[in-house]
Amino acid sequence: MLAYNVPIGTVAEAIRRSNNEVGGGVIEVAEHENAVRGRGYIHSLADLESIPVKVSADGTPVTLRDLGQVHLGPEQRRGLAELNGQGEVVGGIVIMRQRQNALNVIEGLKRRLREVQGSLPPGVRVVVTYDRSELIQRAVHTLRHELLQEMLIVSAVIVLFLFHFRSALIPILTLPIAVVLAFIPMARMGLTANIMSLGGIAVAIGAMVDASIIMVENVHKKLEAWEASGRQGAREDAIVHALKEVGRPIFFALLVITVSFLPIFTLEATEGRLFKPLAFTKTFSMAFAALLAVTLTPALAAWFIRGRIRAESEHPVSRLLVHWYAPVVRFAVRRRRLVVFAAALLLLSTIPVFLRLGSEFMPPLNEGTLLYMPTAPPGMSDTEASSVLQQMDRRLRSVPEVETVFGKIGRARTATDPAPLSMVETVVSLKPESQWRKGMTWERLIADMDRRMRFPGMPNIWWMPIQTRNEMLATGVRSAVGVKVFGPSPRDAQRLRRTCHRRLLPRFRRPPR
């Protein structure tokens, strides 16, 4: 440029002048007007190299190729990733298609990663920083645990109060069968075994066993009366009579519980997507429980309820409970007005407590993984963002309960993540609770991390990955409570923001009562 005496402004003007289209009016062809234009947009590096900048003294055009080397430069950096405070890394995000099974997708991804692991260069390895399959498996384990616990409790209650072990087999068999049958319409409707669908089954378990317990107890009472009357008639007739006596009320009671969840199907948008799987699985479970109560349970009762049936007066537990309960019942009947008044007074006393209770759209689910989302001041450079992110990850990794820390600031190279450099998203994967410090709880762990993570101008927000996405999609706010301020101008919006901050700050600083 110095040799040709070409300033930088001339080069910029030549490029600008060569990268446009020029209109040339119209010409008439076969009695029709046709627009004329010169198409001069740049499409390749060769087009740039051939742009004339000036004409030399001998009349030769001087192009950009003569002034320097033309090549493509790097894209402006708007995001970076970091792992465990050890330095920057390359991160990957897996986006699942709609209506796919997350567990199957994750398992397929793990298989593919194992296949490509051997083809990576030496020293390069793939580190999984967030795996949602662990949460799904814990949910399935919880359902399995609840089923086993419910069967053990029901068995213990029946054996304790009826002294008849084979009678306990009736609810033990009908409960898992009803749950398994509920998965059939789930599969036909394309419902997956997710947190909400399994939650519907867990909610229904308590009501599903009631039918079997009531029918078993009534059969015992009728057989007790049958033996006390000298065994008049066949034993099967007494069992059938006991089942018919409570079968119809139990069937319709379970149907009423089933119908009570139907209004949830009217929910739409986010609420519908969240709670409809729960309502479907609970409805299916209760419907099959009602069906089994009038089909399988009577057959099992006639098969298993055999042998000697103890009278209620022979049960030490029943005698003790009746001995304690009879005086209470007599007092309630004699002082019925006083009892009703006391109950109403107790009910009224709960109104102030109810009014002080908070409300939320959905209670948070303990996902076992934290998402640290501080907000940096606008205008932070990528160099400073890299330094701050590494310091944050190093401090978080120093917590004994933390397994891995994957920090991301800014946006990834995808249209689904339009985040500025002031937005931090750090996934903190925790160790199993058996490896935590003695006495450490979830709340204490977050408080400990919050004390460690103190960066000027960057308030801390501790959420969980799924919870964060749901809240941001529903409200667009990255916190549990947020205030959106709108104004006719930036100055008015700033003034309103300061007013809200001044009025709300004393409430949040007030110590809890």
Side-chain angles (χ1 to χ4, degrees):
M1 291 175 64
L2 183 62
Y4 284 102
N5 192 24
V6 178
I8 189 66
T10 302
V11 176
E13 180 61 28
I15 297 174
R16 188 181 302 111
R17 187 174 58 249
S18 300
N19 190 36
N20 59 11
E21 291 193 1
V22 180
V26 296
I27 60 174
E28 183 178 347
V29 177
E31 300 180 353
H32 288 276
E33 287 186 346
N34 293 271
V36 178
R37 62 173 181 168
R39 306 184 65 178
Y41 285 129
I42 296 172
H43 297 283
S44 63
L45 290 179
D47 295 340
L48 281 170
E49 292 175 344
S50 60
I51 292 177
V53 179
K54 63 174 293 186
V55 179
S56 61
D58 59 356
T60 304
V62 179
T63 62
L64 282 181
R65 184 188 301 106
D66 302 324
L67 299 178
Q69 184 180 5
V70 181
H71 62 85
L72 292 175
E75 186 180 0
Q76 187 178 10
R77 192 181 193 190
R78 303 308 300 165
L80 53 98
E82 206 276 345
L83 182 64
N84 293 330
Q86 299 175 354
E88 294 187 29
V89 294
V90 177
I93 302 173
V94 178
I95 301 177
M96 185 179 68
R97 293 177 176 175
Q98 290 185 354
R99 301 185 182 278
Q100 297 297 314
N101 188 304
L103 192 59
N104 293 339
V105 173
I106 294 173
E107 292 300 326
L109 181 64
K110 289 180 179 179
R111 288 194 301 269
R112 184 58 59 87
L113 288 177
R114 286 193 294 266
E115 293 173 2
V116 304
Q117 186 72 40
S119 62
L120 296 177
V124 178
R125 60 191 180 97
V126 178
V127 179
V128 178
T129 57
Y130 178 63
D131 186 356
R132 190 175 293 182
S133 63
E134 298 177 0
L135 176 62
I136 300 173
Q137 292 168 357
R138 286 204 308 271
V140 176
H141 173 74
T142 300
L143 178 63
R144 189 183 302 116
H145 178 266
E146 291 296 325
L147 277 173
L148 179 61
Q149 186 181 54
E150 192 74 23
M151 288 188 293
L152 290 177
I153 293 175
V154 171
S155 304
V157 169
I158 291 179
V159 172
L160 180 63
F161 286 94
L162 300 180
F163 283 7
H164 199 270
F165 176 76
R166 283 184 295 183
S167 298
L169 296 177
I170 298 174
I172 290 177
L173 293 175
T174 55
L175 184 60
I177 291 176
V179 172
V180 171
L181 290 175
F183 284 106
I184 298 177
M186 283 178 58
R188 297 292 297 177
M189 295 183 62
L191 296 176
T192 59
N194 53 50
I195 298 295
M196 299 305 292
S197 60
L198 296 180
I201 297 177
V203 170
I205 285 177
M208 290 165 61
V209 297
D210 291 346
S212 299
I213 294 176
I214 295 173
M215 298 186 83
V216 168
E217 184 180 7
N218 197 57
V219 170
H220 274 251
K221 297 297 292 183
K222 292 300 180 182
L223 288 178
E224 177 186 340
W226 174 72
E227 291 185 356
S229 64
R231 300 191 175 186
Q232 297 179 3
R235 181 188 181 94
E236 289 73 14
D237 293 339
I239 295 176
V240 171
H241 178 68
L243 295 172
K244 289 171 62 177
E245 189 176 53
V246 296
R248 185 173 179 272
I250 288 176
F251 179 77
F252 285 103
L254 292 177
L255 286 184
V256 169
I257 299 176
T258 304
V259 173
S260 65
F261 261 62
L262 294 182
I264 296 182
F265 295 108
T266 62
L267 297 177
E268 299 179 353
T270 305
E271 298 86 351
R273 292 180 61 86
L274 280 174
F275 292 107
K276 280 183 179 179
L278 183 146
F280 273 120
T281 53
K282 186 179 186 300
T283 301
F284 296 152
S285 302
M286 295 301 300
F288 282 115
L291 181 62
L292 294 178
V294 295
T295 55
L296 180 62
T297 300
L300 294 177
W303 194 3
F304 287 123
I305 303 180
R306 296 177 180 273
R308 181 170 179 265
I309 303 299
R310 294 175 179 268
E312 188 174 298
S313 58
E314 299 179 11
H315 288 237
V317 177
S318 298
R319 287 202 311 267
L320 183 61
L321 292 177
V322 171
H323 176 72
W324 287 347
Y325 182 60
V328 177
V329 174
R330 295 191 188 99
F331 175 81
V333 172
R334 289 197 303 266
R335 301 286 190 272
R336 50 185 176 274
R337 293 184 179 179
L338 177 63
V339 173
V340 173
F341 177 77
L345 188 63
L346 182 62
L347 177 63
L348 293 176
S349 65
T350 62
I351 294 178
V353 179
F354 174 76
L355 295 177
R356 292 175 60 88
L357 293 177
S359 61
E360 57 183 342
F361 169 65
M362 184 178 177
L365 169 71
N366 189 341
E367 304 172 24
T369 304
L370 284 172
L371 187 64
Y372 175 57
M373 294 186 64
T375 302
M380 178 185 291
S381 64
D382 57 352
T383 305
E384 180 65 17
S386 176
S387 175
V388 171
L389 184 62
Q390 187 171 3
Q391 295 179 46
M392 289 180 173
D393 292 355
R394 189 180 297 117
R395 291 189 189 182
L396 288 172
R397 185 63 181 82
S398 65
V399 179
E401 288 75 16
V402 173
E403 183 73 28
T404 59
V405 180
F406 177 71
K408 180 182 75 71
I409 189 168
R411 61 173 295 171
R413 296 184 62 183
T414 170
T416 62
D417 188 25
L421 275 175
S422 59
M423 182 174 176
V424 181
E425 294 181 347
T426 300
V427 178
V428 183
S429 299
L430 303 176
K431 298 178 181 178
E433 293 190 13
S434 58
Q435 302 179 19
W436 289 12
R437 287 170 286 178
K438 185 177 180 180
M440 180 60 68
T441 62
W442 183 266
E443 292 76 15
R444 291 180 180 178
L445 179 60
I446 295 179
D448 182 24
M449 291 182 178
D450 193 69
R451 285 191 298 268
R452 296 170 184 253
M453 307 301 292
R454 298 295 182 182
F455 290 85
M458 302 182 68
N460 294 335
I461 298 178
W462 300 97
W463 273 19
M464 288 169 283
I466 299 177
Q467 178 192 19
T468 303
R469 299 307 171 196
N470 289 337
E471 294 290 346
M472 292 183 68
L473 287 173
T475 64
V477 179
R478 287 174 290 169
S479 61
V481 179
V483 179
K484 292 185 178 181
V485 180
F486 301 93
S489 65
R491 179 175 298 180
D492 292 332
Q494 183 73 1
R495 178 178 54 82
L496 292 173
R497 185 193 67 81
R498 290 174 179 173
T499 302
C500 294
H501 181 269
R502 185 172 58 254
R503 294 186 179 182
L504 293 176
L505 189 60
R507 293 180 175 269
F508 287 101
R509 283 182 173 175
R510 185 182 305 166
R513 303 180 198 178

